[in-house]
Structures are given as structure tokens and as C-alpha cells.
Amino acid sequence: MSAGFPDFRLGSVLATSFTATLTERQGDAVERIPVPQRLVDWLAVNGLAVDSCTTAQLDLARELRESIHAAATAAATQNALPASAVEVINDRSVQGRAAAVLTAEGARRWRVSRVEDALGVIAADAISVIAGERDGKLALCASPTCQAAFFDASQSRTRRWCDMNTCGNRQKKARFNANQRKNPRSAG
């Protein structure tokens, strides 16, 4: 993995994990795939290993990422899906030539040879999530600086944070500090 870059936020849903390669969208945005090699790294971590990536392929990936984010946000807020986002997601899905293969252990793996193939897998995953084909729901992170779309598969479907270890803890700490300022303990 390339050193000197912010850690990846990995989740259990490929499409929303991909949108998390740009975080803090409503604050000081953090780009987690700033160079082509970093996209290669993210794809490898997510079982979609490719040998290389060009700047043009990175641009395609970022366009897909933003389209998934726009469509997932619309779905989470029960608004109409943006036509341009739907078009990009569909185009990337159709252009990929990935193959699902079964491992000796009985697990599914993807065989990809190019970035476009990996993007096709991500786009197909986004279609499945946005179309409501999975048990769960799309939601938006309650952090005012994040607002990431995430897939809530919790039993109650009331998860508030895209990632408890970052956004959730940050918000809980801010709330605790605000309460401490409002109610300082007497030095008695």
C-alpha cells in the first residue's frame, strides 16, 4: 500500500466504500485516491486487483464515484435519481468485462484485467444497492462535515454514522466537550 496517503475507509458494501474514497465532503474534503496508483491500491484491497491505472482511468473512476454518491444520496433522501448519474453508472456497468469465479473455498471472486472491468463491478454493486435489492437501506451520515451515503444493514435501520470509528466518535466527542463547557465541575 502506498505510504503518505490517508487510510481507506473500508465498509462491507463495495459501492458505498468506493464513494468513501472522498470524505468530509461538506468540510475540508479528503481525497483518498489522489493518484492512479492509489486507485490500484484501493481496488486490490477490495478484491479487484489490476496491474495499472492511467490518469484517464482515474478520471473515469472519480466520475463513477461522484455519480454513485449523487444517486445514493437521492435514494437516501427519497428524491429522483439524477439522470446524469444514472447514465454514468449504467455506462460503467455495461463497459466492464469482469467475470465472477468460484474459489476452491466456495467464495466468489472477481476476475478483472483493466480498471474499466473493476469499475463495472462497482457500478453493478451500486445498481443493486440503489435499486433496493438488498436487505437494508441507504442513509446519510449525520456528521455535518461528512454527509456520506452509506448502506445501513443494522437490524433497526437506525444507524447514524457512515463509520463509527471516525464520524461517530468525532460527533460523540464534540457533544461531550460541549456538555463539559456548559456544565463545568465545581473545583470544590
Side-chain angles (χ1 to χ4, degrees):
M1 185 101 32
S2 301
F5 293 109
D7 290 338
F8 294 132
R9 289 187 179 177
L10 302 175
S12 59
V13 176
L14 183 64
T16 55
S17 292
F18 187 57
T19 65
T21 60
L22 180 66
T23 56
E24 301 304 313
R25 290 170 179 271
Q26 305 300 315
D28 292 327
V30 177
E31 176 61 75
R32 295 171 190 275
I33 54 168
V35 296
Q37 182 57 46
R38 191 66 172 154
L39 177 60
V40 171
D41 295 342
W42 187 90
L43 292 170
V45 167
N46 286 279
L48 299 168
V50 296
D51 291 332
S52 64
C53 176
T54 66
T55 301
Q57 289 170 320
L58 177 60
D59 291 342
L60 289 174
R62 287 181 179 159
E63 181 183 36
L64 175 61
R65 175 187 68 192
E66 296 312 302
S67 296
I68 294 170
H69 178 71
T73 298
T77 57
Q78 299 180 343
N79 287 311
L81 301 180
S84 60
V86 169
E87 182 178 353
V88 168
I89 293 167
N90 289 338
D91 286 349
R92 296 297 175 276
S93 179
V94 170
Q95 292 168 4
R97 295 186 308 226
V101 295
L102 187 63
T103 68
E105 297 79 30
R108 179 183 68 183
R109 295 283 180 252
W110 289 103
R111 184 174 296 150
V112 297
S113 59
R114 341 168 272 147
V115 169
E116 291 83 358
D117 301 339
L119 297 180
V121 173
I122 296 166
D125 190 64
I127 291 167
S128 173
V129 170
I130 294 166
E133 296 175 349
R134 297 201 192 156
D135 188 24
K137 72 170 190 161
L138 282 163
L140 298 179
C141 183
S143 168
T145 60
C146 180
Q147 296 286 294
F150 66 92
F151 190 71
D152 181 4
S154 67
Q155 188 171 2
S156 64
R157 309 291 193 263
T158 58
R159 211 173 105 199
R160 297 187 63 212
W161 318 108
C162 65
D163 183 56
M164 191 60 208
N165 292 325
T166 52
C167 291
N169 283 342
R170 188 179 321 132
Q171 292 303 307
K172 287 182 174 189
K173 183 178 178 182
R175 191 169 47 245
F176 175 80
N177 289 338
N179 286 338
Q180 290 297 317
R181 285 190 296 275
K182 284 189 339 193
N183 304 315
R185 296 176 191 228
S186 59

